[in-house]
Amino acid sequence: MARPPMPLDELDRWLRTPRPRTPIADGLAMLDGFLTAIVVGPVTYEPLGWICPLLGVSKNAYCHGDTPEFAAIAAVAKYHNALAATLSETPDQFTPRFDRSESGAVDVGPWCRGFHAAIQLNPKYWRPLLPARRQAHLWLIPILAHCTDPDGRPVPGAPPPGPLTELARFDAHRNIPSAVVAMREFWAPTRYGR
């Protein structure tokens, strides 16, 4: 018998628990950013092709409905569908799941890193918003300003260190929701044929 989808608080704990395969997402905020990019991005991917690395499970986990891995996959699929419905039917109600610092301040970093990780599934599809030698489109600036490569350098398309980056980082929690809605509208004609 298949397990029901994991509740989100349990999924968050499960993502933070060390396992043999390291998941892309290290918590719900990063998972939410990743799923948001999947929903609003330029193409539709085969679900297990992105769910399995996101959770750090094998594709075989989908075949065993009585495991925590299956319950996590089911939770991500349910979450994805709810997010897609919100962005399609009531985009003005879209609210990213940002983390909070110990002092209670909004921390958009994990969400942004999740979004960037989804772009990295195939950056060529995002090329219209990620020019090769210039700064990314304004919609991506508040997201990419919070992302660095393994050496701590800004990721391609991110603004260079300086006042623009600091402003993008400071206002990101206010600017990201409308940027996400704009990206969905930008890709909708080619992705959904309308």
Side-chain angles (χ1 to χ4, degrees), residues 127-137 140-141 144 155-160:
R127 206 169 280 147
L129 299 183
L130 287 169
R133 291 186 173 83
R134 293 178 288 133
Q135 208 163 272
H137 191 282
L140 286 173
I141 297 290
L144 298 182
V155 296

Side-chain angles (χ1 to χ4, degrees), residues 19-20 32 46 48-49 51 60 64 77 83 87 105 127 136 138 154 162 189:
R19 290 187 310 285
D32 186 70
E46 186 273 317
L48 290 180
I51 291 175
N60 194 33
H64 303 285
L83 184 59
L87 284 161
R127 206 169 280 147
L138 289 176

